[in-house]
Amino acid sequence: MSAQPARAALPLLYIRSRALPLTAATLTCITLVAAWAAHWLQSRPYFDHTARVPVVVLAPLLASAAIGTSLHSHGEELDRTAVGRWWPRRLLHLLVLTAVTAGALAAAVPGHPEEFGVPAMVRNVLGATGVAAASVALLGARLSWLPMTVYGGAVYLAAPHNPGGAAAVWAWPMQPGPQGAAWAVAVTAYVAGAALLAVHGARPERG
């Protein structure tokens, strides 16, 4: 086999080895359920757009778990012996899935951008995916869902009703869209997680 066909086959091999079709199907299901839930919650009597808080918090959490799981590696030795460097592939993998997921979930909560609409959804996708990416590097892909799930659940139960203040930092997933401090935390988490993943890759796992 010549070098050129082998290089051309690399993207397909990468897609298969990371089970990306299954990840895409999972993310599609999450988006469809999120769109239905957001519409249903907002249509209930005496509810308004603030009723979409569970969707804005839980949908990014589930999506980040799917993305984190897809970042697994079958073997550190295989990555080391592969042609070319792996960090650009890992980074592209993360960036593409993040962008597609953020766009799809943003479409699930149209309107009311000043509250729990598109900005809050995109911010939470970035933050949750960043935490998941860091967890892949530190804990491994199989457990990458755990830190954000525990943190997101705790924040959902403990966050104060009034936005802003210190809660904008520690309870950033529960903040309305325009909160600058919440955006700063989410973007920082994403950049740090992406950097950890690109440099170190997924932590090797036994079994």
Side-chain angles (χ1 to χ4, degrees), residues 35-161:
W36 172 84
H39 175 76
W40 183 84
L41 287 170
Q42 193 172 346
S43 67
R44 296 301 88 193
Y46 308 110
F47 277 65
D48 58 14
H49 53 275
T50 59
R52 299 187 296 187
V53 172
V55 177
V56 171
V57 174
L58 295 178
L61 192 155
L62 294 173
S64 69
I67 294 173
T69 304
S70 75
L71 291 163
H72 70 90
S73 175
H74 286 292
E76 190 177 4
E77 294 79 9
L78 293 175
D79 287 359
R80 288 177 177 175
T81 57
V83 178
R85 295 173 296 177
W86 275 96
W87 74 263
R89 298 184 183 116
R90 290 193 291 261
L91 188 58
L92 181 63
H93 177 158
L94 179 66
L95 292 176
V96 169
L97 286 184
T98 303
V100 171
T101 301
L105 287 178
V109 286
H112 305 290
E114 73 283 358
E115 290 292 342
F116 295 98
V118 172
M121 181 68 86
V122 172
R123 180 201 65 215
N124 285 358
V125 169
L126 289 176
T129 305
V131 173
S135 301
V136 170
L138 298 175
L139 302 176
R142 291 180 183 178
L143 293 177
S144 61
W145 57 271
L146 185 58
M148 190 61 208
T149 299
V150 172
Y151 176 72
V155 165
Y156 187 81
L157 295 174
H161 293 290

